Amino acid sequence: MEHRSHSVATLRSARLLPRPAKAVPELPGGWPLIGHLPDFLKDPVSMLSRGWRERGELFRFRLGPREFVLFTGPEAHDFYFRASEDQLNAKAVYQFTVPIFGRGVAYDASPELMDEQLGFLFPALREAAMCRFARIMFEETSQFADALGDDGEVDLPHAMNELTVKIASRCLIGQEVRDQVDTGFAEAYHDLQKGINTLGFFLPRLPTAAHRSRDRARRRVAELFSRIMKKRRRSGACPDDFMQALMNARYKDGRALSDDEITGILLTALFAGQHTSAVLATWTGLELLSAPSYLARVRDEIREVYREEGAMSLASLKRQVVLENAVRENERLHPPLIMLIRKVLKPVRYRDHIVPAGTLAMVSPAVSHRLPHLFANPERFSPERFDPPACEDKQHQYALIGFGGGKHVCMGKHFAYLQLKAIWTVLLDRFDLHLDTAFPAPNYGSWVTGPETPCRLRYRRRSQANIVQ
Ligand code: HEM
């Protein structure tokens, strides 16, 4: 008997026999029926970080009737992002987007079809398009800055939202939609956004007032996009933008996309890219203006780069590494999507643990970006951590996951970085800026985590700008 158990242990240590699977450890402190819901609603990042400290890279907890498992740390992320769609499934979780993006598109399509649909956008994000986007980002931010006048005060999140809607509608859809931002499109888009709420996450088709205005807005947007497409077809106009890329695209079987599919894919890109960018732009401003010595380095870099380059371009923005590290540090400290979720369709085994089917599997960029063995003094805003020799982001492919990973990795990361750098370069070049609020706490009440509002920003125009118009 002793001999037999010894040989099983030997086989196991030689990894010839799998170790017996154990249940995922549970986070203590949950209430009957509601589980950890109260702590989660108050401050999900503190609750989940406590879970990591007490239970390690995998633990389970309940929010009401739903059982969740959090995967934390680069190895656990690697496993999570590599899992196949029939194990960890995104489509089942993102059903609340279907009334907005539409039937047969994105999370209402099979994973293969969704890949094909989003794949049509890649050519519209290539280097040549980025050169054009850099100019558009500069023009839109300059116009925005001109409209502010010489001095005054704005609510920063509101201002960043307005500006990024203009940039995103022009770059991610087309000029005609940008031209209608102030005459109806922004309003319809806002109604669509209000359709993303906690109730909608669980019951996206429930006929509430918010869902009814969401559905009306979806019809208005579809009519607008359809009108623009018809006009383009009639006139033969062929602008180089996302809408045209989709109008010219063909599925593998040779079929053209319907107007409704094109509308849905454009809305997918807009929803994925606009609010997230607005929020990260806001955090970037807040942190920079609260760190005077780093801000001085950013301003020095702007002076130096534009003394040589003159105008803003993709090339000039690429040279701004001091600013880029500030954006990266904001991706780390304030990832707009604090949780990514998948439904477990088939039981999955990670190390010794089995995660049962039906569980919701989660990674949390906000928790993982605060792991003290990866990021020194993790609560501190310190963009220098990305400089050599530390290069804290390069320790593992999945140390920083603010833009996700694996097959659902964000396709707009370079666009987002470019946009944030263009916005803050123009604003810092034109104005002296001062925050008139204490540093705000995160507002966890929304799907995309921005700061509590208002965040008052005072501005005064500088006598000389470095960037040539
Ligand atoms: C600061 C800005 C942005 C942040 C923080 C961000 C973050 C993310 C994250 C975390 C994911 C993965 C979601 C998941 O795994 O469940 C994602 C996916 C995606 N992002 Fe972004 N994103 C940003 C900007 C953009 C932009 C500008 C675009 C458009 C060009 C975009 C398009 C997409 C799309 C289409 C997906 C879905 C990919 C898929 O499921 O295959 N994002 N984004």
Side-chain angles (χ1 to χ4, degrees):
M1 187 64 197
E2 202 178 281
H3 172 73
R4 199 172 152 258
S5 65
H6 175 75
S7 57
V8 168
T10 314
L11 283 172
R12 261 190 204 126
S13 66
R15 296 190 184 278
L16 297 174
L17 266 188
R19 281 144 66 122
K22 294 185 273 189
V24 175
E26 187 176 7
L27 180 67
W31 296 81
L33 297 176
I34 51 174
H36 287 85
L37 198 58
D39 284 351
F40 184 85
L41 291 178
K42 198 158 73 192
D43 185 343
V45 177
S46 297
M47 186 214 114
L48 297 173
S49 298
R50 172 173 81 84
W52 173 77
R53 281 194 306 276
E54 292 178 11
R55 289 292 182 261
E57 60 176 349
L58 208 64
F59 67 88
R60 69 192 158 95
F61 58 98
R62 250 179 344 93
L63 300 179
R66 307 307 301 261
E67 179 102 352
F68 288 79
V69 167
L70 182 71
F71 288 71
T72 306
E75 281 87 27
H77 300 156
D78 193 75
F79 175 86
Y80 185 94
F81 288 131
R82 270 173 204 268
S84 65
E85 206 64 30
D86 61 355
Q87 291 178 308
L88 300 187
N89 184 277
K91 178 177 170 173
V93 175
Y94 290 117
Q95 283 305 297
F96 66 92
T97 63
V98 174
I100 296 170
F101 301 164
R103 288 282 182 210
V105 180
Y107 298 107
D108 193 50
S110 67
E112 298 73 33
L113 186 62
M114 177 173 169
D115 272 0
E116 216 185 326
Q117 291 174 338
L118 294 183
F120 294 140
L121 298 180
F122 281 115
L125 286 165
R126 67 196 183 280
E127 181 97 352
M130 288 294 181
C131 290
R132 208 165 47 80
F133 292 155
R135 284 304 300 169
I136 294 177
M137 291 162 182
F138 173 73
E139 277 170 32
E140 289 289 348
T141 315
S142 296
Q143 274 174 31
F144 182 83
D146 290 347
L148 287 176
D150 284 344
D151 55 59
E153 194 179 277
V154 287
D155 174 40
L156 185 57
H158 186 265
M160 290 300 109
N161 198 50
E162 199 183 314
L163 176 56
T164 53
V165 168
K166 290 176 176 164
I167 295 175
S169 59
R170 190 159 157 201
C171 295
L172 301 182
I173 305 183
Q175 179 69 47
E176 302 94 324
V177 177
R178 163 64 185 92
D179 292 341
Q180 304 217 16
V181 162
D182 296 324
T183 51
F185 180 70
E187 200 190 321
Y189 177 57
H190 187 61
D191 283 348
L192 280 175
Q193 280 183 319
K194 281 195 298 193
I196 297 189
N197 48 45
T198 315
L199 195 59
F201 183 80
F202 295 104
L203 299 165
R205 298 274 171 194
L206 201 72
T208 60
H211 290 172
R212 274 196 296 270
S213 8
R214 172 198 68 193
D215 298 343
R216 268 196 306 275
R218 175 65 172 75
R219 285 192 292 275
R220 281 207 323 270
V221 170
E223 278 159 25
L224 169 67
F225 287 10
S226 210
R227 262 201 315 277
I228 296 171
M229 286 187 265
K230 283 201 181 76
K231 207 162 160 198
R232 284 188 183 189
R233 287 188 192 107
R234 262 202 316 272
S235 69
C238 226
D240 181 12
D241 57 26
F242 273 38
M243 183 181 269
Q244 197 63 39
L246 293 171
M247 288 170 68
N248 298 343
R250 295 291 176 271
Y251 285 114
K252 282 191 207 118
D253 63 7
R255 185 171 68 85
L257 283 72
S258 68
D259 283 6
D260 207 52
E261 285 173 313
I262 295 176
T263 299
I265 300 169
L266 291 174
L267 284 174
T268 306
L270 188 67
F271 266 77
Q274 184 274 323
H275 195 188
T276 43
S277 297
V279 157
L280 199 55
T282 302
W283 285 118
T284 301
L286 290 168
E287 289 286 6
L288 274 177
L289 297 173
S290 309
S293 61
Y294 199 82
L295 180 63
R297 285 186 59 198
V298 172
R299 285 194 181 283
D300 288 347
E301 183 181 63
I302 293 176
R303 249 193 314 278
E304 197 182 310
V305 168
Y306 291 94
R307 193 186 309 125
E308 290 164 21
E309 301 273 346
M312 182 178 281
S313 63
L314 181 62
S316 71
L317 287 164
K318 277 188 181 167
R319 288 183 59 188
Q320 291 179 253
V321 286
V322 176
L323 179 56
E324 176 152 327
N325 280 344
V327 175
R328 187 164 291 117
E329 181 64 336
N330 278 284
E331 174 195 340
R332 185 186 73 81
L333 271 177
H334 306 291
L337 300 180
I338 60 167
M339 292 173 287
L340 313 180
I341 309 177
R342 307 282 185 264
K343 184 162 185 185
V344 182
L345 296 188
K346 278 191 207 155
V348 288
R349 179 176 178 140
Y350 177 64
R351 299 199 202 271
D352 289 349
H353 299 294
I354 291 278
V355 183
T359 310
L360 292 172
M362 198 191 252
V363 295
S364 168
V367 172
S368 302
H369 291 172
R370 286 172 167 76
L371 295 180
H373 57 287
L374 294 179
F375 300 104
N377 211 342
E379 292 297 337
R380 224 180 109 219
F381 175 74
S382 169
E384 294 90 346
R385 67 176 75 247
F386 302 123
D387 290 335
C391 298
E392 291 184 353
D393 54 326
K394 304 261 161 43
Q395 304 170 76
H396 190 284
Q397 185 189 2
Y398 292 128
L400 273 190
I401 54 165
F403 289 83
K407 70 186 298 294
H408 290 287
V409 70
C410 178
M411 58 165 53
K413 177 173 177 175
H414 297 300
F415 179 95
Y417 264 71
L418 197 68
Q419 176 177 210
L420 267 54
K421 287 166 73 179
I423 289 175
W424 282 106
T425 301
V426 174
L427 295 181
L428 290 170
D429 191 46
R430 298 282 168 85
F431 298 107
D432 285 320
L433 300 166
H434 180 78
L435 273 182
D436 224 359
T437 345
F439 198 89
N443 171 4
Y444 293 121
S446 150
W447 183 252
V448 179
T449 303
E452 292 283 3
T453 53
C455 302
R456 279 186 296 275
L457 176 73
R458 267 195 286 125
Y459 58 89
R460 179 178 289 277
R461 191 167 292 274
R462 305 184 118 203
S463 52
Q464 247 191 333
N466 295 285
I467 308 170
V468 175
Q469 291 270 359

